[in-house]
Amino acid sequence: AQSVSQHNHHVILSEAASLELGCNYSYGGTVNLFWYVQYPGQHLQLLLKYFSGDPLVKGIKGFEAEFIKSKFSFNLRKPSVQWSDTAEYFCAAKGEYGNKLVFGAGTILRVKS
Amino acid sequence: DTEVTQTPKHLVMGMTNKKSLKCEQHMGHRAMYWYKQKAKKPPELMFVYSYEKLSINESVPSRFSPECPNSSLLNLHLHALQPEDSALYLCASSRGPWDGDYGYTFGSGTRLTVV
């Protein structure tokens, strides 16, 4: 069955610390991968997506993610977090020719100022 | 217009009520989705419409009835819900299930409370 797992449910960092959120997927065949962010009280927003090509994907707000096919991973990174990055982050995946987007359980990030 | 608009934003309904959630997009997207998100949980797919036809039903109880009257509009009709159906209901759209743009745009959701 298709699944997405996120390693940490809660992460607390100080401002300027580096961030890495883990995401692993279980899919047969080619997969499309996404990271979404949900700020408190707001809707899901797309941070970045990977379909093919360069495995290092750059997104909005200084976020990037690296697709490592051999590890079935798509980890999200940011070199220096800000207080405004406090939010919940969801990794999601779908098969190349499907339209069923499956989400991981989410990681709540709290950045201390 | 690059948004998915959902109405109402909040809804409180009794277990015997009939209500509908509405979702609208004017981006020319041909795939539309309903997701349910319980507190502190990820969104879970309920239904997918592709080119106005229901293509995926994730074994959702019949008290939830989706409808796609046209390519811009998606409804979710609710009847005889249970308190455990209280959740945030999210609508999303994408350009299409088979073409090159696989980005999904999500609406802000309808916060549903069943009393």
Side-chain angles (χ1 to χ4, degrees):
Chain A
Q2 302 162 338
S3 67
V4 177
S5 59
Q6 293 182 239
H7 312 307
N8 309 99
H9 191 55
H10 281 94
V11 173
I12 302 174
L13 295 173
S14 298
E15 276 193 309
S18 63
L19 170 73
E20 181 161 3
L21 301 182
C23 172
N24 286 91
Y25 63 91
S26 173
Y27 267 78
T30 303
V31 64
N32 302 142
L33 297 158
F34 307 79
W35 275 98
Y36 282 88
V37 61
Q38 191 171 32
Y39 297 101
Q42 296 190 27
H43 62 278
L44 286 163
Q45 298 175 39
L46 181 66
L47 274 179
L48 47 80
K49 57 187 177 184
Y50 173 79
F51 296 112
S52 63
D54 189 344
L56 186 61
V57 179
K58 294 195 183 300
I60 61 171
K61 303 177 190 275
F63 287 91
E64 64 179 32
E66 185 175 12
F67 170 60
I68 303 179
K69 189 174 180 179
S70 61
K71 295 184 178 180
F72 298 92
S73 71
F74 189 56
N75 293 353
L76 181 71
R77 300 195 293 248
K78 186 171 184 178
S80 175
V81 295
Q82 302 171 321
W83 177 82
S84 57
D85 292 324
T86 295
E88 187 159 16
Y89 293 80
F90 292 98
C91 182
K94 66 180 272 301
E96 183 180 21
Y97 296 112
N99 55 5
K100 179 179 174 179
L101 186 64
V102 175
F103 286 84
T107 297
I108 297 171
L109 171 66
R110 187 164 79 88
V111 180
K112 299 184 295 183
S113 57
Chain B
D1 187 354
T2 58
E3 291 187 345
V4 172
T5 303
Q6 290 187 246
T7 54
K9 292 194 184 308
H10 300 273
L11 178 63
V12 179
M13 61 184 290
M15 290 188 283
T16 58
N17 290 160
K18 284 185 182 181
K19 296 287 184 183
S20 296
L21 309 185
K22 180 179 172 181
C23 172
E24 200 163 1
Q25 57 86 15
H26 297 286
M27 295 177 280
H29 288 179
R30 302 309 299 272
M32 296 184 76
Y33 312 80
W34 281 115
Y35 279 83
K36 174 181 178 179
Q37 187 176 20
K38 301 278 280 183
K40 302 186 190 302
K41 296 288 186 185
E44 294 179 356
L45 183 66
M46 300 175 72
F47 302 104
V48 179
Y49 272 83
S50 296
Y51 296 94
E52 295 98 68
K53 294 195 186 309
L54 183 65
S55 61
I56 295 177
N57 176 343
E58 289 289 293
S59 303
V60 179
S62 59
R63 57 186 184 269
F64 295 91
S65 175
E67 179 197 19
C68 190
N70 59 57
S71 60
S72 300
L73 193 55
L74 184 67
N75 297 322
L76 185 63
H77 303 298
L78 314 172
H79 174 53
L81 295 193
Q82 304 296 311
E84 59 264 29
D85 296 321
S86 298
L88 180 69
Y89 287 85
L90 295 167
C91 176
S93 70
S94 65
R95 201 170 85 175
W98 308 112
D99 63 17
D101 180 355
Y102 303 96
Y104 293 69
T105 303
F106 281 84
S108 300
T110 294
R111 177 81 54 194
L112 174 68
T113 303
V114 181
V115 297

